[in-house]
Amino acid sequence: MSSIFPTYARWDVTVQRAEGATLIDTDGKEYLDFTSGIGVCNLGHNHPIVNKKIKEQLDQVWHVSNLFHIPTQEQAATILTENTCGDYVFFCNSGAEGNEAAIKLARKYTGKSKIISFKQSFHGRTFGSMSATGQEKIHEGYGPLLEQFEYAVFNDINSVKSLVDNQVAAVMIEVIQGEGGVHPADPRFMEELQQLCIDNKILLIVDEVQTGIGRTGKAFAYEHYDLSPDIIVSAKGLGNGFPIGAVIGKEKLKEAFGPGSHGSTYGGNPLATTAACAVMSQVFQPEFLKEVEVKGNYFMELLNEKLTSTFVNEIKGKGLMVGIECNGEVGSLLTEMREKGFLALSAGPNVIRLLPPLTVTKEQLKSAVSVLAEVL
């Protein structure tokens, strides 16, 4: 009997080892992994460059706290600001912590308390990030949420305008909703949303926890929409499996996060920021991102060509973040895929979510589509 709280509906798989897009369980069975640790291992499992850098850092120093200057933290922050529209970075340990920090920063800078997010959004499971999440199933059973969070309809600018008043500190959005069903934002909606924020002196927070670090073929997905967010939140793929999150903000926000205003004991420690630097040194190369875009287009073409089942309603996404919306629940199909050695996720009851490593090969993409076509 397990001594672990049963908070997860675990699969009947125990991983022994992994490399690239392949997992091998304790029985020796191989799986083609299109979950990437839920969008985390963007460079695939057991990546040699990331492994090498972390091992080197292990032999130097693991943790010193943020009372000290940490060179790899400065290096990681510089890479992030060079590859975004932001100027300063706060490091933490996860996406939820990043979104908590973004909420605090927005409220402190503006002196206002209201945050507008979106129905079907997902921002985390701590009280602040859960309050920003527009899904009832995430809220159930926890009593009153934090006040001053309201939910607009995704891709509906009028629903956002109806919630705007002089107490709105920020609008918080995923440009592609992940857990909510892999819903890409409409470009015109994002253009109007950014202008609405500018006109009303409202901060724009973009949650890039799942969409960032090359997942969509850009360093960050907001680049597809010609946006200039005030705050960007990154995590998941940033450490390729090593826990790290980052809040990237513009110059004007610097004074709101002065000494003592926020903190994290482990945030940005030498191991985490070493992992992040190693990841970004690979992912942010223009040729790497171009290859993700090419493979994403190839994958989407293949899916549209081969998935002819009437059970499939729509195939959507960007880069190597894909959702297959079905005309019914997909849980039993995911089980059948696992039995065939293929691992995928759901995004709500009716969507199959595919998040392969960005290093996936075209042959592996073809193999995945073959299993999907057979099962669907």
Side-chain angles (χ1 to χ4, degrees), residues 53 231 319 339 353:
K53 292 296 184 180
I231 301 172
E339 291 169 356
R353 182 172 32 151

Side-chain angles (χ1 to χ4, degrees), residues 72-82 87-89 91 277 280:
T72 55
Q73 189 177 111
E74 293 286 353
Q75 183 184 350
T78 297
I79 297 171
L80 283 168
T81 56
E82 287 176 347
D87 301 295
Y88 290 93
V89 181
F91 288 107
C277 289
M280 292 187 288

